[in-house]
Amino acid sequence: MYQWRKFEFFEDKSGGKSSIPAEITGRIDCCSGGRGRIVIGCDDGTVSLLDRGFKHIYGFQAHASSVLFLQQLKQRNYLVTVGEEDQTSSHLSSICLKVFDLDKMQPEGSSSTGPVCVQILRIFTTQFPEAKITSFLVLEEAPPILLISIGLENGSIYCIKGDLTRERISRFKLQVEGPVETSDSSITGLGFRVEGQALQLFAITPTSVSLFSLNDNPPRRQTLDQIGCNSNAVAMSDHMDLIIGRPEAVYFYEVDGRGPCWAFDGEKKFLGWFRGYLLCVIGDHQINSKNSFNIYDLKNKLIAHSMMVGEVSHMICEWGYIILIMSDRKVLFIGEKDMESKLDMLFKKNLYNVAINLVHSQHADAVATAEVLRKYGDHLYGKQEYDEAMSQYIQTIGHLEPSYVIQKFLDAQRIYNLTNYLEQLHERGLASKDHTTLLLNCYTKLKDVEKLNKFIKGDDSVSEQRFDVETAIRVCRSAGYHEHAMYVAKKAKRHEWYLKILLEDLGSYQEALQYISSLEPNQAGVTLKEYGKILIEHRPAETIGILMKVCTDSGETKRISSNGARLSMLPSPMDFINSFVHSPQSLMDFLEKYVSRVKDSPAQTEINNTLLELYLSNSLSLPSISRESVGDDLNFKANNSWEVANGSASGKKTKPFTESNDVKKENDRQERFQKGLSLLKSAWTSEMEYPMYDVDLAIILCEMNAFKDGLLFLYEKMKLYKEVFACYMQAHDHEGLIACCKKLGDSSQGGDPSLWGDLLKYFGELGEDCSKEVKEVLTYIERDDVLPPIVVVQLLSKNPCLTLSVVKDYIARRLEQESKLIEDDRKSIEKYQEGTTSMRKEIQELRTNAKIFQLSKCTACTFTLDLPAVHFMCMHSFHLRCLGDNEKECPECAPEYRAVLETKRNLEQNAKDQDRFFQQVKSSKDGFSVIADYFSKGILSKTTNDTDNT
């Protein structure tokens, strides 16, 4: 023990100036700490309470003679004392136990002052004979239960248990040793041990250490050792271990016997325990009046404090101080220095190991511990003990900034130590992206594949997120460790990185396609959007197959007619169109397969638009042709060089190849045009009101690429007959023009007859001989009466190449027709004039002359007409009884009359329907005749009169 280092971790806070207050005049026999106060009992029976500054609070007379023992309770503000009272009877002992409630004071005017005494008990009775009390201890169980143990000189222990304030108590006796007439059997110390529900009592005599199990009934005694100690050399540690001090050593006892012992030489006058430190007042055998007060740190094996003191009468711990009350009534306050001061003291002596042990033993916070370890690491680093320094730095992980350590070992080029530190950072999940980068660079620089494998492919290293996945992939990839980068990417499900390595670094297109096929459809779609371009370039057929699977959610080849709800959840083929930017042929194949399999796609219009762009383009780059062209060009160049060397003409070799290439391109173009026309028709059938493509875009594409058939179809569907006509005129296709007019100019089929007039105008302005075509056109104009003869003559007169013979027959027939029409009109006029004259004459006669009715029979029943009878102006006569209720209307003429009225009413109603009037004018061959008919029926004039009246 003499090799233990001595330190001054404690100091006298009082400076030797504190002493017992003057208010306390008696000899101090006992004292107790607790609840922020110190209680002192004297030989004159008084008890005094002192505050933190050791000032006298108040005192009171607790016993008549002397206070032998006292103890402050922790849970309740009670004070338990044992003292002597006046002898009132020879049969009663003067020793009694009192319980004071320190929260309650005696009322003013009472005979005594001080706290209220809530209970007084006689310790000794007939069952418990009197003996000298040598030790005293109180245990607070669940309030208000107290367990009081009183050790006697004869080796007995009297125990009192219960609620003392209500006298609900029980007494029992414990015997350490048999009744022997020796002074070595006195109880010098007591100590309670509470562990869970187990309650045990240590009892110490000068010659033994015993343990009583109080849970047993009766309590069971166990002798732990055959050595003991004197009074005041007994203490209990924080771990409820018994400590006794003997001249040769200090012994620790647990429930199963003696534990460790410490060979501190000297008589142990006082023994105590304070915050994990062992307190010893050791007598000096050379100088009786001098004692050594030592504070031992048993865990770190050092002497935390040592000083020479005089005679110590009492030692207690309160307010975080060790308080020594000297025989000369002086008081020493021994306080522990703060942790920073203690550590500074150790750092100055380079005792870093001691400092580390100290912070660990005193349960310092992690930041303080890390600071000590850092300083120790810096110390070792300065001594170039890099391995030992790194072991200290590793223990600071989580509290010390990693860059502090990394910078040191980067400068020192200690890559092995740096690797170890970075590994620990990752192991504890505290590594950043930069740390991962640095560690992987260390592995690659050391070429330590084994450690790299362990780091990358260790058990659940990726799933536990011990490192930043993206950083690990990037570093391994840049260092050429593609296998490791792919492993991390696959394990972490970073599909984009996995494919990037396969495609960009390794060129493993087939493996990339297999990997994409293994993914979920949604994830496969995401990866194809990013890497589809390069896959289409190198593996078009396989890539299209995966795209079909993703977009149709089916690996089967059968046609799918899915409902819109399910298709709307699948990726659209248009989402992947960017992947085909350099492969239009593959795009066309993909869209054709999709359209053949899926009907009623939500993106059908966009798909058709794209297909039209591909079909109707003049040039479509075919990968197969491009590769063949490259190969053929190389062969051609070689042959050309050989021919030049032999003096032959190379130009003769190029022409067949060029012509063959052009033929292939033209055939492909025509094939695509036919597909485009089929698409135009299939996506806009007669049952559809609107097409499944953008009509404007389709027209633009057809015009840009001179696709006449497509334009004609679109113009016909849109009923833009003039534009159809213009297409044939631009092509100077006379037969086509006539066929177009036959198809589109038939009014009975909903066509536009005015097309014949446009065609005639075209031939009139043509400037060349087209007599045959004109004669055919005139046939249809004459049949449908499209144009008046005068207009025909005016239009054809503009063409100098046409003679009168072309229209002579037409003019003759029309003149004959006109003459016949004129004659028919003249006869109709004469007829209408005669009818009108007759009607006017009849009206005049009805107005001026009497009407003679000569019918003798009833028109209805044909019987002889008798009175009463009714005669109508239409010359019909009826019996009154035959007419019934209708006397104002002739039954014979009424239907005809009603028809005339209905017709008149309809005409008046039609006069108000302007849309119908203009529609008739527009659709009629002769609009003037429609207007004349309206005037003849008086409809227009009637409307005008009504308007004027309004």
Side-chain angles (χ1 to χ4, degrees):
M1 298 304 170
Y2 293 106
Q3 296 178 356
W4 283 19
R5 294 179 179 270
K6 291 185 178 182
F7 299 95
E8 292 301 321
F9 291 165
F10 289 79
E11 59 183 350
D12 184 3
K13 301 292 184 178
S14 62
K17 297 180 181 180
S18 297
S19 61
I20 298 296
E23 290 85 351
I24 302 175
T25 57
R27 186 184 76 247
I28 300 175
D29 287 342
C30 56
C31 61
S32 174
R35 300 184 70 89
R37 295 172 298 193
I38 289 180
V39 182
I40 294 177
C42 299
D43 61 349
D44 57 1
T46 60
V47 171
S48 299
L49 280 73
L50 306 181
D51 62 9
R52 188 182 184 91
F54 232 67
K55 303 297 183 182
H56 188 267
I57 301 175
Y58 68 87
F60 62 94
Q61 192 70 36
H63 295 274
S65 179
S66 64
V67 181
L68 301 178
F69 299 93
L70 58 79
Q71 182 176 335
Q72 275 193 100
L73 303 185
K74 302 290 185 181
Q75 300 180 23
R76 292 186 293 174
N77 196 16
Y78 280 8
L79 176 66
V80 182
T81 63
V82 175
E84 294 185 18
E85 299 293 337
D86 293 334
Q87 188 76 30
T88 58
S89 173
S90 59
H91 300 289
L92 297 176
S93 172
S94 61
I95 306 298
C96 67
L97 182 144
K98 292 185 178 181
V99 180
F100 295 94
D101 187 348
L102 300 181
D103 290 331
K104 297 180 181 179
M105 303 299 291
Q106 293 285 352
E108 295 183 4
S110 58
S111 58
S112 60
T113 60
V116 175
C117 179
V118 296
Q119 189 56 263
I120 300 176
L121 289 177
R122 295 289 177 178
I123 296 176
F124 302 112
T125 62
T126 54
Q127 290 84 8
F128 299 90
E130 184 175 358
K132 182 179 179 182
I133 300 175
T134 55
S135 60
F136 173 77
L137 188 62
V138 180
L139 173 67
E140 295 181 80
E141 294 189 11
I145 306 301
L146 299 179
L147 176 57
I148 300 174
S149 297
I150 302 171
L152 305 178
E153 188 179 26
N154 58 9
S156 298
I157 302 173
Y158 291 168
C159 295
I160 304 173
K161 183 176 182 180
D163 185 358
L164 271 67
T165 59
R166 300 183 181 182
E167 296 189 15
R168 297 176 181 176
I169 61 174
S170 62
R171 297 172 183 252
F172 58 92
K173 175 182 177 182
L174 304 175
Q175 186 66 45
V176 175
E177 297 176 355
V180 293
E181 298 296 332
T182 63
S183 59
D184 292 338
S185 61
S186 62
I187 305 300
T188 56
L190 296 169
F192 284 109
R193 179 185 178 95
V194 180
E195 189 172 5
Q197 297 296 324
L199 175 59
Q200 297 167 313
L201 175 65
F202 288 104
I204 303 93
T205 69
T207 58
S208 68
V209 176
S210 301
L211 178 67
F212 291 92
S213 297
L214 301 182
N215 296 105
D216 298 336
N217 191 15
R220 179 173 54 85
R221 180 176 66 85
Q222 176 186 358
T223 302
L224 302 180
D225 206 345
Q226 296 297 329
I227 61 173
C229 67
N230 297 322
S231 299
N232 298 325
V234 178
M236 294 293 291
S237 72
D238 294 336
H239 300 291
M240 307 301 289
D241 293 334
L242 175 67
I243 310 171
I244 66 171
R246 291 180 59 82
E248 70 278 6
V250 173
Y251 298 91
F252 282 70
Y253 289 89
E254 298 179 1
V255 294
D256 53 354
R258 183 193 296 180
C261 67
W262 307 89
F264 303 137
D265 191 21
E267 180 187 359
K268 313 304 183 295
K269 294 187 175 182
F270 285 92
L271 210 62
W273 190 264
F274 176 76
R275 294 180 178 175
Y277 294 102
L278 176 64
L279 312 178
C280 289
V281 177
I282 302 176
D284 192 337
H285 62 278
Q286 297 180 352
I287 306 175
N288 293 331
S289 59
K290 291 294 182 180
N291 299 287
S292 174
F293 174 61
N294 295 335
I295 302 176
Y296 298 99
D297 185 348
L298 302 181
K299 188 172 184 178
N300 298 316
K301 295 183 179 180
L302 57 86
I303 301 175
H305 183 67
S306 181
M307 62 182 297
M308 298 302 296
V309 295
E311 284 292 331
V312 179
S313 63
H314 295 87
M315 181 175 67
I316 55 177
C317 298
E318 186 65 28
W319 306 310
Y321 296 127
I322 304 166
I323 301 172
L324 299 179
I325 300 177
M326 316 303 292
S327 298
D328 58 1
R329 301 176 69 86
K330 289 185 177 181
V331 180
L332 297 180
F333 288 83
I334 310 300
E336 186 177 9
K337 295 180 179 179
D338 60 86
M339 180 63 73
E340 185 177 357
S341 300
K342 291 188 288 185
L343 292 176
D344 288 342
M345 190 185 307
L346 295 173
F347 293 154
K348 290 177 182 178
K349 298 180 181 181
N350 293 329
L351 298 176
Y352 293 97
N353 280 322
V354 178
I356 293 171
N357 293 333
L358 180 64
V359 294
H360 283 312
S361 63
Q362 297 200 357
H363 306 291
D365 61 87
V367 177
T369 304
E371 181 64 18
V372 175
L373 293 169
R374 181 193 66 78
K375 290 187 176 181
Y376 188 28
D378 292 347
H379 173 71
L380 294 172
Y381 183 87
K383 295 169 63 177
Q384 297 185 354
E385 296 178 7
Y386 300 114
D387 295 340
E388 292 78 3
M390 180 53 72
S391 64
Q392 303 305 319
Y393 288 134
I394 287 175
Q395 297 182 62
T396 66
I397 291 176
H399 305 285
L400 180 63
E401 177 61 37
S403 59
Y404 177 85
V405 180
I406 293 172
Q407 188 63 40
K408 282 181 173 290
F409 285 85
L410 280 176
D411 294 343
Q413 296 298 311
R414 299 290 297 178
I415 190 170
Y416 290 99
N417 298 116
L418 179 59
T419 303
N420 187 22
Y421 181 79
L422 293 171
E423 287 174 345
Q424 292 297 322
L425 275 178
H426 286 81
E427 188 70 28
R428 302 181 191 185
L430 300 173
S432 66
K433 296 181 181 180
D434 295 333
H435 299 149
T436 302
T437 303
L438 186 57
L439 177 59
L440 292 173
N441 285 331
C442 289
Y443 285 148
T444 55
K445 188 173 182 180
L446 294 172
K447 300 187 183 302
D448 195 340
V449 180
E450 181 179 353
K451 279 195 172 183
L452 182 61
N453 287 336
K454 183 179 179 182
F455 180 78
I456 296 295
K457 302 181 180 180
D459 295 339
D460 296 327
S461 60
V462 178
S463 60
E464 291 180 358
Q465 297 295 317
R466 291 173 48 219
F467 53 80
D468 183 75
V469 172
E470 187 171 338
T471 302
I473 295 172
R474 188 178 65 254
V475 175
C476 289
R477 185 186 178 200
S478 62
Y481 289 89
H482 299 114
E483 180 185 354
H484 297 81
M486 289 170 59
Y487 177 86
V488 175
K490 188 173 184 179
K491 194 81 172 178
K493 297 183 179 180
R494 298 293 182 88
H495 311 300
E496 67 280 4
W497 278 103
Y498 189 88
L499 292 171
K500 184 177 291 187
I501 297 169
L502 280 176
L503 298 174
E504 298 180 7
D505 298 337
L506 303 179
S508 301
Y509 306 109
Q510 192 62 38
E511 185 178 351
L513 287 169
Q514 293 175 357
Y515 182 78
I516 293 174
S517 299
S518 65
L519 300 177
E520 292 292 330
N522 290 339
Q523 189 61 48
V526 173
T527 55
L528 284 172
K529 288 179 184 179
E530 186 170 358
Y531 301 105
K533 187 183 298 183
I534 189 172
L535 290 171
I536 289 293
E537 182 179 352
H538 294 87
R539 294 290 187 274
E542 295 87 342
T543 307
I544 290 174
I546 297 176
L547 283 172
M548 288 297 298
K549 181 180 179 182
V550 170
C551 294
T552 62
D553 194 21
S554 173
E556 303 175 0
T557 58
K558 65 181 181 179
R559 179 174 296 182
I560 300 174
S561 182
S562 304
N563 57 46
R566 192 175 74 85
L567 283 175
S568 62
M569 299 173 62
L570 297 175
S572 170
M574 303 308 296
D575 296 339
F576 306 97
I577 195 169
N578 291 335
S579 302
F580 296 89
V581 65
H582 298 307
S583 306
Q585 179 65 49
S586 298
L587 175 59
M588 188 169 68
D589 295 341
F590 169 53
L591 294 180
E592 285 177 347
K593 289 182 179 180
Y594 181 83
V595 171
S596 66
R597 186 180 301 179
V598 179
K599 298 298 179 182
D600 300 329
S601 171
Q604 193 66 46
T605 301
E606 291 81 0
I607 294 173
N608 290 340
N609 289 339
T610 305
L611 280 173
L612 286 175
E613 291 185 34
L614 295 169
Y615 288 153
L616 303 183
S617 61
N618 278 320
S619 61
L620 183 67
S621 299
L622 296 173
S624 59
I625 293 180
S626 299
R627 288 194 290 270
E628 291 171 6
S629 299
V630 173
D632 292 341
D633 287 345
L634 293 175
N635 294 333
F636 167 74
K637 290 178 180 179
N639 294 334
N640 188 30
S641 300
W642 183 85
E643 290 173 0
V644 170
N646 289 276
S648 63
S650 61
K652 298 179 180 179
K653 297 289 183 179
T654 59
K655 187 174 182 179
F657 169 75
T658 304
E659 291 179 354
S660 175
N661 195 15
D662 291 342
V663 169
K664 288 181 179 179
K665 288 184 177 180
E666 181 61 25
N667 291 338
D668 173 68
R669 177 173 176 270
Q670 292 302 322
E671 182 181 352
R672 287 186 288 105
F673 275 16
Q674 289 303 316
K675 289 182 179 180
L677 182 60
S678 299
L679 178 59
L680 289 173
K681 293 180 178 180
S682 63
W684 196 358
T685 61
S686 58
E687 293 81 9
M688 296 181 182
E689 183 178 0
Y690 300 103
M692 294 296 291
Y693 50 81
D694 187 342
V695 177
D696 295 334
L697 174 64
I699 292 176
I700 292 173
L701 291 173
C702 292
E703 288 182 347
M704 289 176 59
N705 298 283
F707 185 36
K708 176 182 174 183
D709 294 342
L711 274 175
L712 293 175
F713 171 78
L714 292 171
Y715 287 151
E716 285 184 25
K717 291 294 291 186
M718 298 172 69
K719 297 186 178 181
L720 300 175
Y721 302 137
K722 300 291 186 181
E723 283 73 7
V724 176
F725 193 73
C727 289
Y728 285 107
M729 287 195 298
Q730 289 177 2
H732 297 284
D733 185 359
H734 296 172
E735 293 182 0
L737 281 169
I738 295 174
C740 173
C741 287
K742 289 179 181 179
K743 180 180 179 181
L744 304 179
D746 189 354
S747 59
S748 62
Q749 301 295 328
D752 185 4
S754 64
L755 291 177
W756 292 108
D758 294 335
L759 179 56
L760 190 65
K761 180 180 180 182
Y762 167 73
F763 285 135
E765 297 175 352
L766 186 60
E768 62 183 46
D769 187 9
C770 51
S771 301
K772 180 181 178 181
E773 289 83 356
V774 170
K775 288 180 179 180
E776 184 175 359
V777 171
L778 288 175
T779 302
Y780 290 99
I781 290 177
E782 182 181 1
R783 184 193 69 179
D784 295 335
D785 195 15
V786 176
L787 294 174
I790 187 63
V791 176
V792 172
V793 173
Q794 289 175 349
L795 292 175
L796 294 179
S797 64
K798 298 178 182 179
N799 190 341
C801 298
L802 295 177
T803 62
L804 184 61
S805 61
V806 176
V807 295
K808 183 178 69 174
D809 295 339
Y810 166 75
I811 294 298
R813 288 193 300 272
R814 289 307 305 266
L815 288 175
E816 183 180 354
Q817 292 175 1
E818 293 294 334
S819 298
K820 185 177 180 181
L821 288 174
I822 291 172
E823 182 62 25
D824 292 341
D825 290 341
R826 187 183 61 78
K827 291 180 180 180
S828 298
I829 291 170
E830 290 177 356
K831 181 181 177 181
Y832 290 146
Q833 286 177 346
E834 290 177 358
T836 302
T837 303
S838 176
M839 289 180 184
R840 287 176 178 174
K841 183 179 180 181
E842 184 178 357
I843 293 171
Q844 183 64 27
E845 289 180 354
L846 289 175
R847 287 179 176 176
T848 58
N849 300 327
K851 192 73 173 177
I852 299 173
F853 299 97
Q854 297 178 350
L855 287 177
S856 59
K857 293 183 179 181
C858 176
T859 304
C861 64
T862 68
F863 288 107
T864 302
L865 191 66
D866 55 4
L867 296 176
V870 178
H871 303 278
F872 291 96
M873 298 298 292
C874 59
M875 304 306 294
H876 291 144
S877 300
F878 299 90
H879 292 115
L880 180 62
R881 61 180 179 274
C882 292
L883 291 177
D885 296 334
N886 190 6
E887 300 179 0
K888 297 182 179 181
E889 187 178 47
C890 175
E892 292 293 325
C893 301
E896 182 180 357
Y897 179 67
R898 288 195 187 100
V900 173
L901 291 178
E902 184 67 24
T903 302
K904 182 180 179 181
R905 190 180 301 109
N906 290 337
L907 290 173
E908 292 176 352
Q909 186 68 28
N910 292 338
K912 301 177 182 180
D913 190 354
Q914 299 178 9
D915 293 338
R916 182 178 178 182
F917 169 74
F918 288 111
Q919 182 65 30
Q920 289 179 359
V921 172
K922 183 177 180 181
S923 61
S924 175
K925 296 180 181 180
D926 187 2
F928 179 79
S929 62
V930 175
I931 299 174
D933 184 55
Y934 267 72
F935 272 106
S936 67
K937 295 176 181 178
I939 297 175
L940 295 179
S941 60
K942 177 68 176 176
T943 306
T944 304
N945 293 335
D946 292 345
T947 305
D948 295 340
N949 294 333
T950 302

